[in-house]
Amino acid sequence: MTMAEHIKCLIIGSGPAGYTAAIYASRAGLAPVMYQGSQPGGQLTITNDVENFPGYPDGIQGPQMMQDLENQARRFGTDIRFGMATSVDFSVSPKKVVIDESTELTADAVIIATGASAKWLGLESEKKYNGLGVSACAVCDGFFYRNQVVAIVGGGDTAAEEATYLANICSKVHMIVRREELRASLIMQKRVLNNPKIEVHWNSETDEILGDASGVTGARLKNVKTGETEELTLTGFFVAIGHKPNTDIFKDYLNLDEAGYIQTIKGSTNTNIEGVFACGDAQDNIYRQAVTAAGTGCMAALDAERWLAANELH
């Protein structure tokens, strides 16, 4: 029987959090091994212009930024591999992790940076214009639609918050709500309903996102009660129906909140399992920004380094 490969510091997932953790762990001499997951580079690989990450005065394309971070991690010695963690056993020490359902590893410290995936409507046109007017992050991309007309789908707190954010930037915001009421908290409802730049379309769903070679030009809505349709003219279409953290394989061992985000000990990236750390969007259901993900990636590497040293595993 072949012995499982043993790794001192294993990083599961890539993206700003994972790559930052890799940079810090490599420089600390932890010989980290990273498995990039099903989407190497994470959500930023499907983002065009990134203008709010410090250090890029002229902005940068999302895929190029992720390649830069990967190259930086490699420069310091991170062993970056293709592959996806498909199961774990955190009840034993060292921890066991299976890659692609076939390769078993053991690790002293594990840094989880598996991120979260935006929930989408499931329209083909949504996929077609993703990055060409369709976005799941108003804070990330709203700036590109300054003084333009946009739409946002959703009726919860996130949708209400992002609609209000967009109203400060855009000339008009169409808010598409499937029900005849908002699910958002009362204070967020008041902000939306009292904002003259936000028009709420009740009992409505998106039938199609319209566009041409240059990107989104509008959306066709359908009233779920009457079946009537209407077309909106707009240049940006934002989806705010939630995110799903990529944490299913950890649910038997780690404390998750009701939405599936990993719960970390306040002021750290420590989980309820010694030697397992979580960073980025897998544990952040509030900010979900590249820069905050990178910050927690740094924290996770420092926490892992200190834990390994304290347990004489450094």
Side-chain angles (χ1 to χ4, degrees), residues 82-249:
F82 293 109
M84 181 175 176
T86 49
S87 65
V88 301
D89 183 355
F90 290 159
S91 67
V92 294
S93 186
K95 292 80 181 167
K96 292 183 180 179
V97 178
V98 176
I99 304 297
D100 296 331
E101 300 182 350
S102 59
T103 303
E104 185 176 291
L105 310 170
T106 61
D108 293 322
V110 177
I111 295 175
I112 297 169
T114 49
S117 301
K119 294 179 181 178
W120 298 98
L121 301 175
L123 300 172
E124 282 301 315
S125 53
E126 181 182 51
K127 296 179 183 177
K128 181 178 180 181
Y129 296 112
N130 198 325
L132 294 171
V134 172
S135 169
C137 182
V139 175
C140 308
D141 300 326
F143 177 84
F144 301 112
Y145 303 94
R146 184 173 294 276
N147 299 321
Q148 298 177 45
V149 178
V150 301
I152 186 164
V153 180
D157 274 332
T158 298
E161 184 177 332
E162 294 202 345
T164 305
Y165 175 85
L166 289 168
N168 290 329
I169 299 171
C170 305
S171 59
K172 183 168 185 174
V173 179
H174 294 281
M175 190 171 185
I176 305 165
V177 182
R178 184 175 174 80
R179 305 195 302 179
E180 56 190 18
E181 61 182 3
L182 294 172
R183 291 181 291 105
S185 58
L186 187 60
I187 189 170
M188 291 307 301
Q189 291 187 43
K190 288 181 178 178
R191 288 178 186 173
V192 166
L193 299 176
N194 293 333
N195 193 315
K197 294 173 72 175
I198 300 175
E199 179 182 348
V200 182
H201 299 261
W202 303 107
N203 300 309
S204 297
E205 63 182 9
T206 306
D207 188 52
E208 196 72 84
I209 299 170
L210 310 174
D212 55 27
S214 63
V216 169
T217 59
R220 184 169 64 245
L221 308 187
K222 181 180 180 180
N223 188 290
V224 297
K225 288 192 170 182
T226 67
E228 295 179 354
T229 61
E230 64 172 316
E231 290 192 4
L232 306 176
T233 299
L234 43 89
T235 54
F237 188 93
F238 293 86
V239 180
I241 57 175
H243 287 73
K244 184 183 186 306
N246 303 318
T247 58
D248 286 351
I249 65 170

